[in-house]
């Protein structure tokens, strides 16, 4: 745990040292600040390593742990070694789920590395401050500025995050937690037996409760940091505050300053993880017995974290900013994604026997609460986790209802160790067959979906062409980094993939980020069609450059293109970049 915590802490401190001072002073990332930030992160990890005492007990590795770890390694190598790759003229991704997500992360990484002023405007919606937990992308931008190839850095960060995640899952709940993460599922995968030839597919793709590794871990890069950091915090809190009577203090305690650093800065990387951890701490503070170490230390942790956490939440949500175009994100949707599918059909098809086992675990904890320390300790995680899950089935924390999985998976992962411990208490004379049946029912569907998702494509899915991206990147590299470009709003526009800021990006991203973009979309449409007031629209949107290429010709047929008489900033087979001048701004570079 000591080494894993040191690595996670290094990423945390490097990102924070690059972000918060620059955001406070309006500075920019540069190779110098990148090296200083990375050095600060490494120094903090070394200080922790030298002052945290001897290494603790290693994770017990039996055959089940080795098998689960081997499956995780195979998943990570297959999913991330080909996360993004070059095949001739094509730049492709392995997973179709990453067609929109990885281009967005590349946009952020290259946008930060271009040297924009912090806290930056949103590159996919100019004029609006960036409201996104982009911590892991900032870290990748530091690596890029330090000289790393950004494609290789994406892969190596993903592989390192996978190794840390596997270790943290083992530390948190052994092989059962690893399998629960890799092979979550319900009943969809049993269709495997309905097809002639037993066809392996991702049967959960059409379900609400999708495969966590395929739908989230591969695509939501913030989880590469948030899951290992969050699980290490949970493991440290359980070892510190919820030990069995007579059990000694953990050999390696996570120092209070490390807990504050990982918890308070979590919003920079993954806001939903921060919400879940906060819910746990709040439950323990309110429901914990007065005068206990748990309550005092939890309150102490929250008090130390409140100011930096508030600063981080403010950056990624615009907490104290008014006049934004962001729509209300939190809304009510009872039943989550159930709609008209029917209660039993939806929940048992998606989750299988998990609701039954969770209910059994709840009854077990309540019945044995007074007589068993193990039950009391389990209830400290079980009760708030189930409460969070129940709230997430009614209150949506994102415009897209499915995004509530980002907090649901934490409620799920938090109860896995206690679910395993409850199953182990079944008497052996009839418990072994029951436990084996439970394991199969819990993990078989997810296992089939995992294999099917990883083997879906051997050639990948194209996100860009090198012959287009390279000359566009050359054309824009000397233009002011904070310039606003007008062009066709799509997920893989070459301007975005080169780290430029556009009036509007992909509508799916804008909606999922809670941005009310319809009015601007109409303005952009009028402008690109060459409406009589196109220049006034450009003035209002603070557009400096207009990009006209094949995508624009297809998206805006019949455009009068009145800007053809303006100076050309760059041109080629890929298209033309027109310089509109400092329209309505009075200074270049806007």
């Amino acid at each position: 745990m000591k080494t894993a915590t040191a690595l996670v802490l290094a990423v945390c401190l490097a990102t924070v040292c690059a972000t918060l001072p620059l955001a406070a002073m309006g500075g920019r990332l540069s190779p110098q600040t990148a090296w200083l930030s990375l050095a600060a992160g490494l120094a903090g990890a070394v200080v922790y390593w030298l002052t945290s005492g001897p290494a603790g007990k290693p994770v017990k590795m039996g055959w089940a742990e080795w098998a689960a770890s081997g499956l995780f390694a195979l998943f990570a190598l297959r999913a991330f070694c080909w996360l993004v790759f070059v095949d001739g003229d094509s730049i492709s991704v392995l997973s179709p789920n990453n067609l929109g997500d990885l281009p967005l992360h590349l946009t952020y990484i290259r946008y930060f590395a271009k040297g924009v002023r912090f806290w930056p405007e949103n590159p996919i919606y100019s004029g609006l401050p960036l409201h996104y937990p982009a911590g892991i992308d900032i870290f990748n931008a530091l690596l890029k500025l330090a000289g790393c190839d950004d494609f290789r850095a994406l892969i190596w960060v993903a592989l390192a995050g996978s190794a840390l995640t596997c270790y943290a899952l083992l530390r948190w709940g052994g092989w059962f937690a690893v399998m629960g993460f890799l092979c979550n599922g319900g009943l969809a995968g049993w269709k495997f037996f309905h097809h002639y030839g037993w066809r392996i597919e991702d049967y959960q793709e059409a379900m609400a409760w999708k495969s966590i590794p395929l739908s989230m871990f591969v695509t939501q890069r913030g989880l590469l940091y948030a899951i290992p950091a969050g699980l290490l915090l949970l493991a440290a809190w359980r070892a510190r505050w919820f030990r069995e009577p007579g059990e000694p203090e953990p050999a390696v305690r996570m120092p209070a300053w490390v807990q504050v650093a990982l918890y308070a800065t979590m919003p920079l990387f993954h806001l939903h993880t921060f919400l879940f951890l906060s819910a746990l701490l709040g439950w323990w503070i309110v429901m914990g017995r007065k005068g206990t170490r748990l309550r005092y230390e939890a309150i102490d942790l929250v008090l130390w974290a409140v100011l930096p956490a508030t600063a981080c939440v403010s950056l990624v949500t615009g907490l104290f900013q008014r006049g934004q175009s962001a729509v209300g994100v939190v809304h009510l949707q009872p039943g989550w994604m159930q709609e008209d599918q029917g209660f039993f059909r939806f929940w048992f098809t998606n989750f299988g026997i998990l609701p039954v086992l969770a209910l059994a675990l709840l009854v077990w904890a309540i019945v044995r609460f007074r007589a068993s320390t193990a039950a009391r300790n389990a209830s400290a995680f079980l009760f708030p986790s189930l409460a969070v899950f129940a709230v997430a089935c009614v209150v949506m924390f994102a415009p897209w209802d499915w995004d509530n999985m980002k907090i649901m998976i934490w409620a799920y992962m938090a109860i896995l160790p206690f679910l395993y411990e409850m199953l182990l208490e079944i008497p052996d004379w009839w418990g072994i067959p029951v436990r084996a049946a439970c394991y199969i029912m819990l993990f078989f569907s997810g296992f089939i979906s995992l294999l099917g998702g990883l083997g879906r494509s051997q050639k990948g899915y194209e996100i860009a062409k090198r012959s287009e991206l390279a000359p566009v990147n050359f054309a824009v590299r000397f233009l002011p980094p904070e310039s606003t470009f007008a062009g066709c709003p799509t997920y893989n526009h070459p301007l975005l993939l080169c780290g430029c800021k556009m009036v509007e990006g992909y509508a799916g991203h804008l909606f999922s980020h809670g941005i009310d973009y319809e009015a601007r979309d109409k303005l952009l449409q009028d402008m690109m069609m060459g409406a009589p007031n196109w220049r006034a629209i450009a003035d209002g949107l603070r557009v400096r450059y207009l990009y006209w290429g094949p995508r624009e010709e297809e998206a805006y047929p019949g455009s009068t293109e009145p800007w053809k008489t303006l100076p050309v900033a760059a041109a080629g087979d890929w298209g033309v970049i027109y310089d509109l001048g400092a329209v309505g701004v009075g200074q270049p570079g806007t």
Side-chain angles (χ1 to χ4, degrees):
M1 184 167 176
K2 185 175 178 179
T3 302
T5 303
L7 292 173
V8 170
L9 182 64
V11 175
C12 168
L13 295 179
T15 305
V16 171
C17 288
T19 303
L20 295 185
L22 292 181
M25 299 182 296
R28 307 171 187 269
L29 283 182
S30 65
Q32 293 76 19
T33 57
W35 279 108
L36 287 173
S37 299
L38 293 170
L42 180 61
V46 171
V47 169
Y48 160 74
W49 178 268
L50 295 177
T51 59
S52 61
K57 294 181 180 179
V59 175
K60 294 181 180 179
M61 296 293 292
W63 69 268
E65 284 75 16
W66 282 114
S69 300
L71 180 61
F72 200 110
L74 292 175
F75 150 72
L77 291 172
R78 173 58 176 164
F80 292 123
C81 285
W82 289 271
L83 175 69
V84 55
F85 58 93
V86 176
D87 182 13
D89 191 39
S90 295
I91 299 174
S92 302
V93 295
L94 180 67
S95 170
N97 297 327
N98 247 342
L99 267 173
D101 287 86
L102 194 66
L104 180 63
H105 290 294
L106 280 170
T107 296
Y108 287 145
I109 292 166
R110 292 173 172 178
Y111 180 61
F112 299 144
K114 284 174 73 75
V116 294
R117 191 176 298 278
F118 267 59
W119 186 251
E121 287 187 26
N122 196 332
I124 62 171
Y125 199 81
S126 63
L128 181 70
L130 176 61
H131 293 155
Y132 183 80
I136 198 67
D137 293 326
I138 294 174
F139 180 74
N140 269 97
L142 297 178
L143 296 178
K144 179 177 177 63
L145 287 169
C148 297
D149 176 78
D150 42 13
F151 285 179
R152 292 182 181 178
L154 283 169
I155 293 170
W156 282 109
V157 168
L159 291 174
S162 298
L164 289 170
T165 297
C166 184
Y167 172 81
L169 286 165
L170 288 170
R171 175 65 69 178
W172 175 238
W175 72 269
F176 190 83
V178 177
M179 291 300 294
F181 176 83
L182 288 176
C183 303
N184 71 295
L187 302 179
W190 293 92
K191 293 179 181 177
F192 169 75
F193 295 107
H194 295 174
H195 294 287
Y196 179 76
W198 292 2
R199 190 163 69 241
I200 295 179
E201 295 180 6
D202 181 6
Y203 293 100
Q204 290 175 220
E205 184 182 20
M207 310 298 292
W209 183 246
K210 302 181 189 299
S211 170
I212 292 173
L214 295 177
S215 68
M216 303 196 70
F217 195 65
V218 170
T219 61
Q220 307 287 325
R221 290 190 60 82
L223 290 176
L224 295 170
Y225 169 90
I227 289 180
L231 289 175
L232 289 173
L233 282 172
L234 291 183
W237 292 342
R238 186 184 184 188
R240 173 67 175 167
W241 296 331
F242 302 101
R243 300 193 308 275
E244 293 287 339
E247 187 178 348
E249 287 269 354
V252 178
R253 281 186 55 195
M254 185 182 290
W257 70 270
V258 176
Q259 296 180 47
V260 171
L262 298 184
Y263 167 65
T265 62
M266 186 63 75
L268 282 179
F269 297 90
H270 201 256
L271 187 60
H272 293 79
T273 301
F274 175 76
L275 293 175
F276 179 77
L277 296 175
S278 299
L280 282 187
L281 289 171
W283 181 279
W284 297 336
I285 290 171
V286 173
M287 304 301 292
R289 288 182 297 170
K290 294 181 179 180
T292 59
R293 178 173 60 183
L294 161 64
R295 203 174 193 189
Y296 285 140
E297 292 188 1
I299 292 174
D300 206 33
L301 172 61
V302 171
L303 289 177
W304 278 105
V306 65
L307 288 179
T310 301
C312 293
V313 170
S314 176
L315 285 179
V316 302
T317 65
L319 185 63
F320 302 117
Q321 298 170 357
R322 297 182 179 180
Q324 307 294 349
S325 59
V327 299
V329 169
V330 179
H331 62 282
L332 295 178
Q333 180 60 46
W336 188 35
M337 298 180 69
Q338 176 182 322
E339 297 177 346
D340 59 352
Q341 298 181 48
F343 179 85
F344 288 100
R345 179 182 178 185
F346 175 79
W347 292 100
F348 286 98
T349 302
N350 275 279
F351 295 91
I353 66 167
L354 181 62
V356 176
L357 292 179
L359 180 60
L361 177 60
L362 180 62
V363 172
W364 172 83
I366 293 173
V367 169
R368 303 196 58 185
F369 186 84
R370 293 185 179 276
S372 169
T373 303
R376 288 195 296 273
N377 291 341
S379 67
F381 290 89
L382 175 63
F383 293 167
S385 295
L386 293 182
V388 167
F389 192 92
V391 169
C393 292
V394 177
V395 181
M396 304 299 108
F397 295 92
W400 189 20
D401 295 348
W402 183 81
D403 273 348
N404 260 29
M405 267 194 70
K406 295 176 183 179
I407 197 167
M408 287 176 164
I409 62 169
W410 276 104
Y412 167 69
M413 290 190 294
I415 70 171
L416 286 176
F418 309 103
L419 187 61
Y420 179 62
E421 292 166 12
M422 179 199 72
L423 290 174
L424 287 179
E425 289 206 3
I426 300 175
D428 282 345
W429 63 275
W430 68 280
I432 292 178
V434 171
R435 286 198 294 271
C438 289
Y439 299 156
I440 293 172
M441 291 297 294
L442 282 171
F443 303 142
F444 177 78
S445 177
F447 177 72
I448 294 297
S449 290
L450 181 68
L451 295 183
L454 290 176
R456 181 181 305 176
S457 172
Q458 305 301 319
K459 296 183 178 181
Y461 302 85
E462 183 180 273
I463 60 172
K465 291 189 178 295
R466 296 171 66 193
S467 57
E468 178 184 33
L469 202 59
V472 173
N473 188 50
F474 181 82
V476 303
R477 64 176 180 165
F478 295 117
L479 300 181
E482 281 153 343
S483 301
T484 298
F485 290 77
C488 175
T490 184
Y491 70 94
N492 64 342
H493 198 286
L495 286 175
L496 292 176
L497 294 177
C498 293
C500 296
K501 178 180 61 177
M502 295 188 68
V503 170
E504 217 177 83
Y506 179 50
H509 292 150
L510 299 176
F511 171 76
S512 65
H513 294 184
I515 298 175
D516 186 10
Y517 64 92
E518 285 84 359
R520 178 177 290 195
D521 193 55
K522 179 62 170 60
L523 289 174
L524 181 62
Q525 177 81 14
D526 291 344
M527 175 187 169
M528 298 300 288
M529 289 299 295
N533 62 337
W534 77 271
R535 188 87 183 195
I537 295 174
D539 178 33
L541 296 176
R542 302 169 68 88
V543 176
R544 175 63 189 270
Y545 298 102
L546 188 146
Y547 184 102
W548 193 261
R551 292 171 183 80
E552 286 69 25
E553 291 178 355
E554 181 179 352
Y556 308 108
S559 171
T560 59
E561 301 181 47
W563 44 80
K564 280 189 172 182
T565 59
L566 296 179
V568 173
D573 294 338
W574 44 269
V576 183
I577 297 177
Y578 295 96
D579 187 351
L580 274 60
V583 179
V585 178
Q587 59 181 1
T590 301

